[in-house]
Amino acid sequence: MKRTAQLLSYGMEKRRQALTQNGKAVLTEASMHCDVIFGSPTADCRGTGVCKITAYQDFASPLLSNHCKCAPAFIHARNDGKGIEMVLVRELVCTTLYRKHLRHGALVLTENCKLPGFLVAGLGLQVRTLRPGVYPVKEHNGIITIQF
């Protein structure tokens, strides 16, 4: 439990530092911290894509579970709520998840992923679902960003 708390604290601080590099703040007031579970919704979160996004669960998070399907992320609105950007810390994404979903410069969604109501309302989003497609994955200084 203490190790989990240290990793999460470290990840939060690392995100804050990296997201304000070069004097440019990437995150805005309208950012939410969530857990992203990777996989396919109809395949019980196996396969590729984003299975679901859940409220951040503090230390009860499945982040460090043996299943290696989940990673903490910041999500914020882009294009006046018509899209979102997901921001992850590379060090907090397990190697298996990274290799399967993120390392080739694209995240492939093969089916819809419904965004939770708390996220839509909290960020004032106009979108309610991540649509199937190929989304660019960018990585810089240990920070991974994906724009939907």
Side-chain angles (χ1 to χ4, degrees):
M1 193 66 89
K2 186 174 182 176
R3 175 80 174 136
T4 303
Q6 289 171 337
L7 282 172
L8 291 172
S9 176
Y10 171 75
M12 293 291 286
E13 184 58 34
K14 185 151 180 90
R15 274 181 261 206
R16 285 189 193 103
Q17 290 171 2
L19 295 173
T20 56
Q21 287 182 356
N22 302 324
K24 180 180 176 188
V26 176
L27 294 177
T28 65
E29 295 278 328
S31 296
M32 297 185 79
H33 191 203
C34 304
D35 284 332
V36 178
I37 301 170
F38 289 86
S40 175
T42 60
D44 194 28
C45 294
R46 291 184 302 272
T48 61
V50 174
C51 187
K52 68 176 127 174
I53 298 170
T54 62
Y56 183 66
Q57 299 295 317
D58 247 351
F59 307 119
S61 170
L63 167 67
L64 299 176
S65 74
N66 293 333
H67 301 294
C68 193
K69 293 182 184 177
C70 185
F74 277 114
I75 295 178
H76 66 270
R78 52 186 297 272
N79 297 335
D80 298 319
K82 295 176 187 164
I84 67 169
E85 181 171 69
M86 185 181 297
V87 181
L88 303 109
V89 175
R90 172 61 184 100
E91 290 179 45
L92 297 179
V93 176
C94 84
T95 303
T96 303
L97 192 150
Y98 180 79
R99 285 182 185 156
K100 185 173 185 176
H101 298 279
L102 306 171
R103 76 173 171 158
H104 297 294
L107 174 65
V108 178
L109 272 65
T110 57
E111 57 186 279
N112 287 333
C113 175
K114 185 178 179 196
L115 296 173
F118 79 89
L119 191 67
V120 172
L123 297 178
L125 298 175
Q126 296 179 32
V127 295
R128 300 190 184 296
T129 304
L130 299 181
R131 302 273 182 222
V134 179
Y135 298 94
V137 174
K138 296 179 182 173
E139 187 171 352
H140 182 69
N141 291 336
I143 299 298
I144 300 168
T145 57
I146 308 164
Q147 293 185 349
F148 299 90

